[in-house]
Amino acid sequence: MDSAEKPPSAAAGGDARRKRKANAAGIQTGNKESAAPGSAERAAAKQLVAEQPNGVPELVRRVDTMIRDLDEIMKLANPHVAVVAHVADLVNAMGAVITAVENPAAKAEFHGEQKIHNEIKAQAERAKEILGKAVKVKIDQNLSDSTVHLPRLANFMTNPLPIIFTAEELAPLTVDVARRAAEACWKLALFDSATKQKTRAAVGLLDGLRQVLETVNPKESKVHRAVANALLALDAHDYFGGKITEAFGFLATSDKTSVTRAEVENALKGLKRDVRMFADIAKQDSDHAGKLAAEGIGAVLVPLLGLKEKKNLAWVEEQKPYFTGAVAVEKEVCHAIGVLVSHIADREVCQSYIVDAGAIPALIQILNRPPPIAVSGLSAETRRAAEAYASASHELARRAADAIRKLVHDFEAFKLMVRQEEGVPTLRALLDRRDTKVQRAAAAALLTLGEHDRLVKEIEKLTETLVARPDADRARDALKTAVRTLAELAKEGQQVSAEGDMVDAVVRSGAVEAIVPLLSLSQRVGEEYDVSFGDIEKEASYAISLMASKDVNQNRIAAAGALPGLVALLQRYPPQTTGSVATSVARRAADAVTNLAHENNVIKNEVRKEGGIPPLVSLLETKDPKVKRAAASALRTLAFKNDDNKNQIVECGALPMLIFMVKSDDALIHYEAVGVIGNLVHSSTHIKRRVLDEGALQPVIGLLSSECPESQREAALLLGQFATTDSFKIKMVQRGAIRPLIQMLGNNDEQLREMAAFALGRLAQDADNQVGILHAAGLRPLLDLLDCDKGNLQHNAAFALYGLADNEDNVPDIVREGTVQRLMGRELIVQASKDCVKKTLDRLKGKIASSARVLRYLIYLMTTDPDGADAQRIAVALVHLVDDALGEELREVFIKKLGLPILLRVLMPSGPGNDKTTAKAQSRNEACFALHVLLKKVTGKLPPEDAPLPPTPDAHLDEHFNTPDLSDITFVVGGEEFFAHKIAFTHFPNQFHDDVSARRTSAPGERAVVDFSHLSGDVFRALMRFTYVSSLDSERPDIAQDLMRVAVKYDMHELKRRCESLLCDDVVAKGETLGAFDLVERFDLAESLDATSVSIRCALHALEHHVAMNTQLGPTKFAQLTGKMVGRIDEHARAMFHRLPTSSDGQTRLTA
């Protein structure tokens, strides 16, 4: 990455966010001249809020009423325009509500802001739905006059509240209303002439439609098309054309004695807006452009191209130096002309109308204006004005050149007119303008005019002349200029594609065949003319270099015989030659070889066979830095993936000079030199050895600290290639390569980080280097690279980490840094990176399994400061890394050495606000996952459980369940009767029987009737079912919860056990579909009823599904939940560890 964008300032953050929301919804907020977001409207919004006697509530009620009114309006016989107008008013009313609730004073007294926003969003969606239905109803003026609603539409378009363009809830509806309003105006205009006149006469409507074009983002094409249709249907071009003519007349006849500067500036701003509107209309459709052109818009716009020359406006520039008002209008005119003739359909007709209005002379006159001159010694304010004027002038020249190109496209008569008006010399002069965009536009115009064809013919003719008369100085100068101009067309054409590929156009014109012979022109005319023809050879090499920049042209250029000519030039100008011409010819020839051979192995071989490598190597010794760089660049290209070329470059003695160049202070020189060396050593072990023997190692290491990021990148890549040799891995570290490579890992340049990680990965294959990299603080930046979204970066970092993990001395520091968690929690892009990370984790497990020393030290670090962050990271990592057969080491680490309490402390809430931090939430998630893994590991090592105690024998009285047969007691629950048998309840605890007696409603001696309405019917039915058939409904866990309360109240142990079992099974069965809030409710119930098994099952579920739980509850509530669960998790974990078997001697490698 060559440059980085500056982040927006903090002060501008809110505006930036608001603009992003608006742009996403289709609102164009960047237009400073748009009236919608202006201060006047903001003041109006505040006034609207202030006028409400009851503030926000009154505004909300108003919106509610307007929403209800929509349904009534829809019942009208002709609702189309009425609904659009009503929704337009509604949008502004909603905007007033949002403005009010976002007012700081209102926020202090009103706390339902989010609720209001949600309601507004729902109401906006409802309004949009009704609007969609209304516009499907055909407008019928015979039923009612829809034009009575137009003032409301005009008001909406000309005076909208600014909030409606930026509020996320309203922006989509605002855009839709703007579109529907324009469509309504269009349909009214088409209904009949009377309706059209009424619509056109609506005050502010046409200006409002224009403002919509300015305000709504051009990406909202449906809105812009609707507005353009409406404006044309209403003959707005007459209205705005008249305004332009009136303003132009005002400016043409006014002077400083009759008007003020402010009046002139306002008139120019109005002109600019009106002209831009015509461009927006023409852009939508070829028919629109054709109609505007046919209606004479050219005659309205073209006179404006002379505004800058109006002498009666000179006084404005005297008062305000570098005034850009007139230039800004002319820019818009050029743009509008370009748009009018851009559509393929009816292009010739539009071109004719605009040209007939005198556009070509006027545009050429603009191009003939002298470029802005830089002036020194200006004040800061004046300097900024001068820079703005220069920028505007260059942009005007670009648009004028672009307009000429489009006007003459495929129209020979108009091309001839440009030539007759001396437009070609003017455009050619622009190729020297110091503005890239102007150069490109001029090149495109010249190519459209066919100047490249004419130049090719001129070059061929002049070449023949010079061969016949070598001393023809005028022909020689003309040939040089023609070749140079053709080269510039090819250069700028690389960036221009509006009318096809311009470089290809130059090549198709025969430029290659015309220019290649010029490379050997001096040989054809005689050696005595060598120096005088040097400029021509230089320009010819330059042109070939530019045309060869496109791969498809390389073979054609080579087939025309360019390589022998270029090699001859390289041989003819050795480095000892003095003079600017000689060195520049060699440089251009080397550049041409570079572009010709780029990724073309056939041409690379041809260059070698033609003898091009020795002179290029020789040019490395020249004193001219540009020639030196060009020669190195050519050698770099030739050496890339071509072994024969590599060997010849080395045999020609290039290595010593290249190594000297690596030591150069010139960043461009050492960048090219290290690039050549990198290509030479790639996949060539013998060359790599020679390079190192020549002393390249230390200079390349020195480039790691260069201020040139490209040189740093190439040096890091080269060191990575050197590091395949074991002896040099250690030398690189000894000579200081590690620290600058690690510093490069934090650079903003993505490729620089990639190459640094690549080199470190190679160096990390040595045991001593592994420790050196880690203790030079290389671990964390490598881990950070795993967080990027680039596959190559991730893989190089993963490979380096894999190397670091190979040394057991590194393992404690790797674990303490949280590496295990970061490796496990990263989504990697390519499979190779995933495999590398898995191997790294396996390597860490192996080191801990094989080295008791490493594990003891990790335990020491963990227990030294058990409350520290390192202890938490180590405890989490050891869960994943320790896994002995019997689980004795797990017990040693987590029970005896207190690893379990460390993990559990992470689950505890950490105070107000702290639980919301990303780091704390991440630590809690890691601890939850670690505890889940730990308990799962321990569970897998437990011996089979002893047989549980037999449950209470099941009852089998289902045929008597809730039947009046033989029933001797009736329970009344909420008006429903349940028939029961006293004998069925004999085994129930005394508490139940006491309660039955207390709730009996029948008299003694009568059939027993008991009012049990304190229970619900479903719960009592479940109690009866359990009593008679000893079963519970597994589909109703909610009933089981209530039934468990009954079991606790009446001390029914078996019923409670059954309920607990059902609720536990339900938690397992639902898995991740169990809602977080349902789990919280169940856990709290279990705790209140001492249902230990349910509490533990809920806690285990929270550990397993911690991500979903944290998402649903939020960090703070999830922390509160895990804090309540800590006791149960601890109890369960210790019970499981207690059941783990022990070895026969009770010894482990940690206790031995």
Side-chain angles (χ1 to χ4, degrees):
M1 186 166 56
D2 295 330
S3 63
E5 291 184 359
K6 295 182 179 179
S9 65
D15 290 341
R17 287 191 293 273
R18 179 62 57 81
K19 287 186 177 182
R20 285 196 295 272
K21 290 181 179 179
N23 288 335
I27 304 300
Q28 186 177 354
T29 58
N31 184 358
K32 295 181 180 179
E33 294 182 357
S34 174
S39 58
E41 285 73 16
R42 283 193 291 273
K46 292 179 181 179
Q47 180 66 26
L48 182 61
V49 175
E51 289 175 355
Q52 303 301 322
N54 298 318
V56 175
E58 179 62 29
L59 292 170
V60 171
R61 282 193 291 272
R62 180 186 175 197
V63 170
D64 291 341
T65 301
M66 295 180 74
I67 286 287
R68 289 193 297 271
D69 290 345
L70 268 177
D71 293 320
E72 295 301 318
I73 298 173
M74 274 296 295
K75 297 177 183 178
L76 297 175
N78 189 20
H80 186 132
V81 182
V83 169
V84 175
H86 190 78
V87 175
D89 292 340
L90 176 62
V91 168
N92 271 332
M94 290 176 171
V97 173
I98 296 176
T99 300
V101 299
E102 290 189 352
N103 187 297
K107 285 184 178 182
E109 302 176 1
F110 183 75
H111 303 290
E113 179 184 358
Q114 188 56 50
K115 181 181 178 183
I116 292 293
H117 280 287
N118 292 338
E119 290 177 355
I120 290 292
K121 183 176 181 180
Q123 289 169 331
E125 291 173 354
R126 172 64 177 155
K128 190 172 182 180
E129 179 186 352
I130 296 175
L131 181 63
K133 293 178 181 178
V135 297
K136 292 179 181 178
V137 181
K138 186 176 181 180
I139 297 175
D140 190 347
Q141 283 291 91
N142 297 319
L143 296 175
S144 62
D145 187 4
S146 295
T147 60
V148 298
H149 306 293
L150 292 177
R152 295 157 65 193
L153 294 182
N155 179 65
F156 166 77
M157 290 186 284
T158 55
N159 297 298
L161 289 176
I163 193 72
I164 68 175
F165 294 98
T166 54
E168 188 175 2
E169 308 92 324
L170 286 184
L173 180 59
T174 303
V175 171
D176 198 35
V177 172
R179 173 191 168 193
R180 302 304 184 183
E183 288 176 346
C185 295
W186 173 53
K187 292 174 182 178
L188 286 170
L190 297 179
F191 190 82
D192 58 35
S193 58
T195 304
K196 176 179 177 178
Q197 290 305 317
K198 279 186 174 183
T199 305
R200 180 182 165 92
V203 177
L205 186 68
L206 296 179
D207 289 303
L209 287 167
R210 181 195 61 185
Q211 185 163 315
V212 170
L213 282 178
E214 296 176 353
T215 306
V216 178
N217 194 310
K219 292 181 180 179
E220 294 291 338
S221 57
K222 292 182 179 179
V223 179
H224 279 253
R225 182 176 291 275
V227 174
N229 289 339
L231 287 170
L232 282 180
L234 291 168
D235 296 333
H237 48 281
D238 292 339
Y239 170 72
F240 288 106
K243 287 182 63 178
I244 290 174
T245 302
E246 181 181 350
F248 180 69
F250 166 78
L251 293 171
T253 58
S254 302
D255 55 36
K256 62 181 179 180
T257 62
S258 58
V259 297
T260 64
R261 193 182 79 193
E263 289 176 320
V264 172
E265 291 178 351
N266 288 334
L268 290 170
K269 287 180 180 178
L271 276 174
K272 179 181 175 182
R273 294 177 68 189
D274 292 337
V275 172
R276 182 186 295 159
M277 181 208 65
F278 283 116
D280 288 339
I281 293 175
K283 182 169 57 177
Q284 303 308 314
D285 190 90
S286 60
D287 291 339
H288 294 359
K291 182 173 181 179
L292 289 175
E295 292 291 337
I297 196 62
V300 174
L301 297 180
V302 169
L304 298 179
L305 293 175
L307 271 178
K308 183 72 172 60
E309 278 78 20
K310 294 294 180 184
K311 294 182 179 179
N312 60 312
L313 294 180
W315 63 273
V316 178
E317 293 192 13
E318 293 174 2
Q319 292 185 7
K320 188 177 181 180
Y322 304 107
F323 178 61
T324 60
V327 173
V329 174
E330 291 174 325
K331 279 196 310 180
E332 295 298 337
V333 173
C334 292
H335 175 61
I337 290 173
V339 172
L340 283 165
V341 297
S342 291
H343 298 285
I344 296 176
D346 299 325
R347 173 183 280 172
E348 291 187 5
V349 175
C350 294
Q351 288 171 314
S352 298
Y353 282 124
I354 302 300
V355 171
D356 290 346
I360 287 179
L363 290 169
I364 293 174
Q365 184 179 1
I366 286 177
L367 296 179
N368 275 320
R369 292 175 185 171
I373 301 173
V375 180
S376 59
L378 301 176
S379 64
E381 183 178 355
T382 306
R383 185 178 67 254
R384 285 193 295 270
E387 290 171 353
Y389 178 78
S391 176
S393 298
H394 288 316
E395 180 64 12
L396 173 59
R398 182 190 71 80
R399 291 191 179 187
D402 190 58
I404 288 177
R405 174 177 66 84
K406 293 176 179 178
L407 278 172
V408 304
H409 179 74
D410 286 342
F411 214 122
E412 295 302 322
F414 296 159
K415 292 179 183 180
L416 178 60
M417 185 181 297
V418 171
R419 293 185 181 279
Q420 292 172 343
E421 293 287 341
E422 297 298 321
V424 170
T426 301
L427 288 167
R428 288 175 65 166
L430 290 181
L431 295 176
D432 297 325
R433 180 77 68 91
R434 291 189 175 183
D435 185 274
T436 306
K437 293 181 179 179
V438 174
Q439 291 174 343
R440 292 172 186 169
L446 287 167
L447 288 166
T448 304
L449 287 164
E451 184 66 5
H452 53 300
D453 293 320
R454 193 191 66 78
L455 286 170
V456 167
K457 294 177 182 177
E458 182 181 350
I459 290 170
E460 292 172 343
K461 183 178 179 180
L462 289 170
T463 302
E464 293 175 0
T465 300
L466 283 174
V467 170
R469 294 177 52 208
D471 57 349
D473 293 343
R474 185 172 297 179
R476 186 168 60 246
D477 293 341
L479 179 58
K480 173 187 171 183
T481 302
V483 175
R484 177 72 181 187
T485 302
L486 195 60
E488 289 297 327
L489 294 183
K491 173 187 174 183
E492 302 306 332
Q494 294 172 2
Q495 308 294 333
V496 180
S497 58
E499 298 294 345
D501 197 304
M502 300 303 178
V503 177
D504 286 347
V506 172
V507 173
R508 284 195 301 269
S509 69
V512 170
E513 291 72 18
I515 291 177
V516 166
L518 300 181
L519 298 174
S520 55
L521 183 60
S522 60
Q523 295 176 347
R524 295 169 63 186
V525 300
E527 292 184 1
E528 64 271 22
Y529 296 103
D530 276 2
V531 176
S532 60
F533 281 93
D535 282 336
I536 295 175
E537 293 167 337
K538 178 184 70 172
E539 298 302 341
S541 299
Y542 179 52
I544 288 172
S545 174
L546 292 170
M547 290 187 288
S549 61
K550 290 201 66 174
D551 296 346
V552 294
N553 297 329
Q554 292 173 337
N555 292 330
R556 179 171 179 171
I557 295 171
L563 289 176
L566 291 170
V567 171
L569 290 178
L570 293 172
Q571 294 170 337
R572 194 179 310 147
Y573 297 106
Q576 292 78 14
T577 302
T578 59
S580 60
V581 172
T583 57
S584 60
V585 171
R587 174 168 64 90
R588 292 301 189 189
D591 288 339
V593 170
T594 301
N595 287 350
L596 272 172
H598 177 69
E599 295 187 358
N600 191 319
N601 220 38
V602 174
I603 293 181
K604 290 179 185 179
N605 291 329
E606 289 298 318
V607 172
R608 183 184 70 254
K609 293 174 183 177
E610 290 289 341
I613 289 179
L616 285 170
V617 172
S618 178
L619 286 175
L620 295 177
E621 300 180 14
T622 185
K623 295 179 180 179
D624 189 323
K626 292 182 179 180
V627 177
K628 195 187 294 279
R629 291 198 301 265
S633 179
L635 290 172
R636 179 179 185 172
T637 299
L638 293 171
F640 183 67
K641 294 183 179 180
N642 191 302
D643 291 339
D644 292 334
N645 284 358
K646 291 180 186 179
N647 292 329
Q648 189 174 95
I649 291 170
V650 174
E651 290 166 4
C652 288
L655 290 181
M657 195 63 208
L658 287 171
I659 293 172
F660 294 157
M661 291 169 65
V662 169
K663 299 178 182 180
S664 171
D665 293 332
D666 188 326
L668 294 177
I669 288 179
H670 60 59
Y671 163 67
E672 292 295 350
V674 75
V676 178
I677 295 175
N679 285 352
L680 287 173
V681 304
H682 180 69
S683 301
S684 298
T685 305
H686 66 289
I687 295 179
K688 186 187 306 179
R689 173 60 62 180
R690 288 192 60 176
V691 168
L692 291 170
D693 290 344
E694 291 282 351
L697 182 58
Q698 194 59 47
V700 172
I701 292 175
L703 285 187
L704 295 177
S705 302
S706 168
E707 294 182 359
C708 174
E710 290 81 6
S711 297
Q712 288 181 296
R713 183 172 64 243
E714 294 295 335
L717 174 61
L718 188 53
L719 288 177
Q721 294 172 325
F722 287 163
T724 56
T725 306
D726 291 338
S727 60
F728 281 96
K729 290 177 186 175
I730 300 173
K731 288 184 179 180
M732 289 181 208
V733 176
Q734 291 173 338
R735 298 188 181 198
I738 284 183
R739 290 195 179 277
L741 285 172
I742 291 173
Q743 291 174 354
M744 288 162 61
L745 294 177
N747 197 283
N748 291 329
D749 188 318
E750 176 188 314
Q751 292 182 328
L752 196 58
R753 299 199 306 272
E754 179 185 346
M755 291 301 103
F758 167 73
L760 287 170
R762 293 291 183 89
L763 292 173
Q765 305 311 304
D766 175 82
D768 292 325
N769 290 352
Q770 291 160 0
V771 178
I773 292 171
L774 189 137
H775 285 280
L779 178 60
R780 183 171 295 180
L782 286 171
L783 287 171
D784 291 340
L785 289 186
L786 295 179
D787 296 332
C788 73
D789 57 353
K790 304 297 180 182
N792 289 340
L793 268 175
Q794 287 183 344
H795 184 66
N796 286 343
F799 181 70
L801 291 168
Y802 175 69
L804 297 182
D806 192 38
N807 193 314
E808 69 177 40
D809 290 340
N810 283 348
V811 172
D813 290 312
I814 290 174
V815 171
R816 180 162 54 178
E817 188 62 39
T819 303
V820 173
Q821 297 89 307
R822 296 187 69 172
L823 291 179
M824 296 179 67
R826 291 295 170 267
E827 287 293 333
L828 302 177
I829 297 172
V830 298
Q831 186 60 44
S833 301
K834 298 176 184 178
D835 295 339
C836 196
V837 164
K838 183 179 182 303
K839 290 178 181 178
T840 303
L841 292 171
D842 290 341
R843 177 171 276 182
L844 291 172
K845 290 179 184 178
K847 296 298 179 184
I848 288 178
S850 63
S851 175
R853 176 176 65 86
V854 172
L855 183 54
R856 286 195 189 100
Y857 185 53
L858 284 169
I859 293 174
Y860 167 77
L861 292 174
M862 182 179 71
T863 55
T864 300
D865 182 15
D867 295 325
D870 285 354
Q872 295 173 6
R873 288 193 287 266
I874 292 171
V876 170
L878 290 180
V879 169
H880 303 289
L881 300 179
V882 176
D883 192 11
D884 58 311
L886 297 178
E888 290 180 296
E889 290 187 0
L890 288 172
R891 180 162 49 202
E892 183 76 20
V893 172
F894 292 100
I895 299 300
K896 295 182 180 180
K897 300 302 182 182
L898 305 180
L900 178 62
I902 291 173
L903 291 175
L904 293 175
R905 272 197 293 273
V906 182
L907 303 189
M908 297 298 294
S910 56
N914 293 334
D915 294 307
K916 293 183 178 181
T917 63
T918 302
K920 183 63 179 176
Q922 180 66 25
S923 298
R924 182 174 293 104
N925 284 340
E926 291 170 354
C928 286
F929 181 61
L931 285 165
H932 169 67
V933 172
L934 176 63
L935 296 175
K936 194 172 180 179
K937 279 185 179 181
V938 175
T939 302
K941 302 177 188 301
L942 293 177
E945 290 191 68
D946 297 331
L949 294 174
T952 302
D954 292 344
H956 299 285
L957 303 173
D958 46 325
E959 68 273 14
H960 301 293
F961 175 64
N962 199 17
T963 61
D965 297 340
L966 303 177
S967 172
D968 55 3
I969 185 170
T970 301
F971 290 91
V972 180
V973 182
E976 183 179 0
E977 293 183 342
F978 291 86
F979 301 101
H981 307 80
K982 293 179 181 179
I983 192 172
F985 297 95
T986 54
H987 64 283
F988 274 30
N990 292 334
Q991 292 91 323
F992 178 79
H993 292 292
D994 292 343
D995 201 27
V996 168
S997 298
R999 296 178 183 276
R1000 180 168 178 162
T1001 59
S1002 60
E1006 296 180 358
R1007 173 186 172 82
V1009 178
V1010 181
D1011 185 359
F1012 244 52
S1013 295
H1014 64 292
L1015 301 180
S1016 69
D1018 289 339
V1019 172
F1020 189 78
R1021 184 177 291 104
L1023 177 62
M1024 288 271 292
R1025 181 180 181 83
F1026 175 76
T1027 302
Y1028 280 81
V1029 299
S1030 298
S1031 68
L1032 298 175
D1033 186 357
S1034 61
E1035 301 297 325
R1036 295 295 303 273
D1038 56 326
I1039 300 301
Q1041 291 186 171
D1042 292 335
L1043 199 57
M1044 190 163 64
R1045 292 189 179 94
V1046 174
V1048 171
K1049 178 178 180 180
Y1050 294 128
D1051 200 21
M1052 298 177 177
H1053 300 295
E1054 180 61 20
L1055 176 58
K1056 181 187 176 190
R1057 187 183 68 80
R1058 293 284 190 92
C1059 290
E1060 287 189 44
S1061 178
L1062 186 150
L1063 291 174
C1064 288
D1065 292 344
D1066 179 65
V1067 172
V1068 175
K1070 287 183 177 176
E1072 61 183 9
T1073 63
L1074 179 62
F1077 292 97
D1078 293 336
L1079 184 81
V1080 172
E1081 180 184 354
R1082 187 166 298 182
F1083 177 80
D1084 290 340
L1085 173 66
E1087 288 292 279
S1088 66
L1089 300 179
D1090 196 26
T1092 306
S1093 63
V1094 179
S1095 296
I1096 291 174
R1097 177 49 58 193
C1098 289
L1100 296 179
H1101 178 92
L1103 294 178
E1104 182 178 2
H1105 302 286
H1106 58 277
V1107 175
M1109 298 286 293
N1110 187 52
T1111 301
Q1112 295 178 45
L1113 295 175
T1116 301
K1117 290 185 178 179
F1118 183 59
Q1120 294 169 355
L1121 175 64
T1122 56
K1124 292 190 295 184
M1125 291 178 166
V1126 162
R1128 294 300 186 186
I1129 297 171
D1130 184 49
E1131 174 187 343
H1132 177 66
R1134 291 182 183 278
M1136 294 179 68
F1137 274 110
H1138 182 71
R1139 291 177 52 209
L1140 282 174
T1142 58
S1143 60
S1144 58
D1145 57 0
Q1147 295 290 317
T1148 69
R1149 61 178 179 146
L1150 297 175
T1151 58

